[in-house]
Amino acid sequence: MPPSTDRPRAQKVPLRPGDRIFSGASTGAGVLILVVLAGVAAFLIVEAWPSLTAPAEDIPGGEGVAVYVWPLLFGTLISAIFALLIASPLAVAIALFVTYYSPRRIAQVLGYLIDLLAAVPSIIYGLWGFTVLAPLTVEPANWLSENLGFIPLFAGPPSATGRTMLVAIIVLAVMILPIITAVVREAFRQTPRLHEEASLALGATRWEMIRMAALPFGRSSIVGASMLGLGRALGETMAVAIVLSVSGGVTFNLISSANPSTIAANIALQFPESSGIAVNTLIASGLVLFAITLAVNMAARAVINRRKEFSGAN
């Protein structure tokens, strides 16, 4: 008789009560996140709708919701993007130093300090920027205006108090720096040891090993950490509200006293004294911030998924 080709059917192993509970709890937590997210979106849309349909003269400023939100949106984007441009390269450099160059004891101390900076409340950063950093930037701002005034970012006239968009950007960069550094540092630590040793065995220098092994492996983590820091900068409230001297308008000038506010800071400053349609207008600006944050997270996820196949993780 020819041998039978039928394979025995795999028996389904019954789940234990603990496995069922854990599976149900995990599924429920994932569904709960989606429900909460949908609830927040529905609340913002419902509360913002009266301001979206109201006549332009009833909106604060008398020019409509779009004109009211645009300077706030511009201030939010310019402060967050410039802060990210400052913080991301520094975070990657610090993570590389702590992981590959620093002695072990110094690396441990630096790691603790980075984690501690991530836990500092935002109001402390705001007070530091207002009392210490703002006065220190007055003279450099004058120099930038005199020597680099042809660049729109430093056109001037410089602020006499130092409470400028430049100071707000620096404060935001310092705030998001430990978050990005901590994530990137952990990613570099997960670089396969075999990849590093193989690069060094082939005659690569330490920097060449980092460039060929560590950076490709951690590229998706760098992108994800940067987007995490960008989300923090977009939603920062108290630090910007304390540091920035707001006068409205849209300008790329970072050192003058004419500064656009951010959406989050404007809501925090205006909400206690607002009523009626003004509250709906503030919620409409919050809806815009919610949409931007959601779009940033979705874009980061798309970039990470596209980079996975090129990452050393595979």
Side-chain angles (χ1 to χ4, degrees), residues 184 218-229 299-301 303-304 307:
V184 175
R219 188 174 292 125
S220 60
S221 297
I222 293 174
V223 175
S226 299
M227 293 302 102
L228 183 64
R301 177 57 56 186
V303 171
I304 291 174
R307 299 301 305 184

Side-chain angles (χ1 to χ4, degrees), residues 75-107:
T76 301
L77 293 177
I78 192 173
S79 60
I81 292 174
F82 274 99
L84 183 65
L85 293 177
I86 295 174
S88 293
L90 289 177
V92 174
I94 293 172
L96 289 175
F97 174 77
V98 172
T99 307
Y100 294 104
Y101 289 95
S102 176
R104 181 173 299 179
R105 291 184 178 180
I106 298 178

Side-chain angles (χ1 to χ4, degrees), residues 1-295:
M1 295 292 291
S4 176
T5 58
D6 295 338
R7 295 182 180 179
R9 295 182 179 180
Q11 296 181 355
K12 187 176 181 180
V13 180
L15 294 177
R16 291 177 293 180
D19 296 331
R20 294 178 180 177
I21 294 174
F22 180 78
S23 177
S26 301
T27 305
V31 173
L32 180 61
I33 292 175
L34 296 178
V35 171
V36 171
L37 186 63
V40 171
F43 165 79
L44 291 175
I45 293 174
V46 170
E47 293 296 328
W49 189 254
S51 65
L52 299 177
T53 57
E57 57 270 13
D58 294 341
I59 305 299
E63 297 182 1
V65 176
V67 177
Y68 178 84
V69 174
W70 166 238
L72 304 175
L73 176 60
F74 177 83
T76 301
L77 293 177
I78 192 173
S79 60
I81 292 174
F82 274 99
L84 183 65
L85 293 177
I86 295 174
S88 293
L90 289 177
V92 174
I94 293 172
L96 289 175
F97 174 77
V98 172
T99 307
Y100 294 104
Y101 289 95
S102 176
R104 181 173 299 179
R105 291 184 178 180
I106 298 178
Q108 291 178 350
V109 174
L110 290 177
Y112 293 147
L113 291 177
I114 292 170
D115 296 337
L116 180 62
L117 286 176
V120 175
S122 60
I123 192 171
I124 303 300
Y125 284 109
L127 292 174
W128 168 73
F130 175 76
T131 59
V132 177
L133 189 59
L136 292 177
T137 60
V138 174
E139 291 301 325
N142 291 328
W143 185 90
L144 290 173
S145 177
E146 293 174 0
N147 297 274
L148 301 177
F150 59 92
I151 301 176
L153 298 177
F154 312 120
S159 172
T161 62
R163 298 180 61 187
T164 61
M165 182 61 73
L166 179 62
V167 175
I169 289 171
I170 296 175
V171 171
L172 288 177
V174 173
M175 291 180 64
I176 66 177
L177 179 64
I179 299 175
I180 303 175
T181 303
V183 176
V184 175
R185 182 189 64 193
E186 293 301 322
F188 287 154
R189 284 182 176 178
Q190 300 301 320
T191 303
R193 188 68 177 175
L194 183 61
H195 293 185
E196 299 175 354
E197 292 177 351
S199 299
L200 295 175
L202 291 174
T205 63
R206 182 175 298 183
W207 165 243
E208 289 173 338
M209 178 272 293
I210 291 173
R211 183 169 56 86
M212 293 185 296
L215 290 179
F217 181 84
R219 188 174 292 125
S220 60
S221 297
I222 293 174
V223 175
S226 299
M227 293 302 102
L228 183 64
L230 179 60
R232 170 72 187 274
L234 287 172
E236 180 51 45
T237 304
M238 292 308 302
V240 178
I242 293 174
V243 169
L244 199 59
S245 177
V246 178
S247 61
V250 175
T251 177
F252 286 96
N253 194 346
L254 302 181
I255 61 175
S256 70
S257 57
N259 302 299
S261 182
T262 64
I263 293 177
N266 181 72
I267 292 175
L269 294 174
Q270 301 297 329
F271 196 85
E273 301 177 358
S274 300
S275 61
I277 198 66
V279 174
N280 300 114
T281 305
L282 293 176
I283 295 177
S285 64
L287 177 62
V288 174
L289 180 60
F290 177 83
I292 293 174
T293 305
L294 186 62

